[in-house]
Amino acid sequence: MILTLEAAGDAAALERYAQNNAEKFQGVLEAAKRHGLIAHRFYGSEDGSRVMVLDEWPDRQSFESFFQEQGAEIRPMFEAAGVTTQIEPKFWRDLSTQDAYGWGA
């Protein structure tokens, strides 16, 4: 299952925060892996005005368990990027289209 989180925010500010708080990011990542995280990336739009998380999880429940545990650690990351809106995860399921490529297809 793929999860996306997207919001208006300063991508460069998020990168600076990550550089200055590497231990916090690593701690959240380790917690996510304990909950079953398969893959994770932060992305910034080309103009730097939006940030997005792209994750792969075994199922929605694994993510929700992780987020319930780590929400207080995750919020400051988005706040550092100037994100002020509530971030709503979007969940995506894999479709059988016979043309899968990459990601271990």
Side-chain angles (χ1 to χ4, degrees):
M1 183 223 42
I2 297 295
L3 167 134
T4 59
L5 296 168
E6 183 183 355
D10 184 340
L14 179 61
E15 284 182 306
R16 284 191 301 276
Y17 184 80
Q19 290 170 355
N20 294 327
N21 295 277
E23 287 182 18
K24 285 185 180 189
F25 277 73
Q26 201 60 41
V28 171
L29 175 61
E30 292 304 317
K33 290 184 331 188
R34 285 193 304 275
H35 284 274
L37 178 70
I38 298 166
H40 164 78
R41 294 283 191 282
F42 273 103
Y43 289 96
S45 60
E46 284 190 10
D47 68 359
S49 68
R50 297 192 68 76
V51 294
M52 181 179 74
V53 173
L54 176 64
D55 282 358
E56 184 175 0
W57 290 86
D59 52 55
R60 183 178 184 146
Q61 295 78 15
S62 296
F63 168 77
E64 288 175 348
S65 176
F66 155 74
F67 196 78
Q68 183 176 14
E69 175 188 295
Q70 293 292 312
E73 296 295 322
I74 295 168
R75 275 190 278 297
M77 296 173 180
F78 284 98
E79 289 170 358
V83 174
T84 58
T85 59
Q86 177 75 359
I87 297 174
E88 295 294 327
K90 292 185 175 120
F91 299 94
W92 305 83
R93 67 178 180 84
D94 190 20
L95 300 179
S96 292
T97 58
Q98 309 306 314
D99 64 344
Y101 181 80
W103 292 301

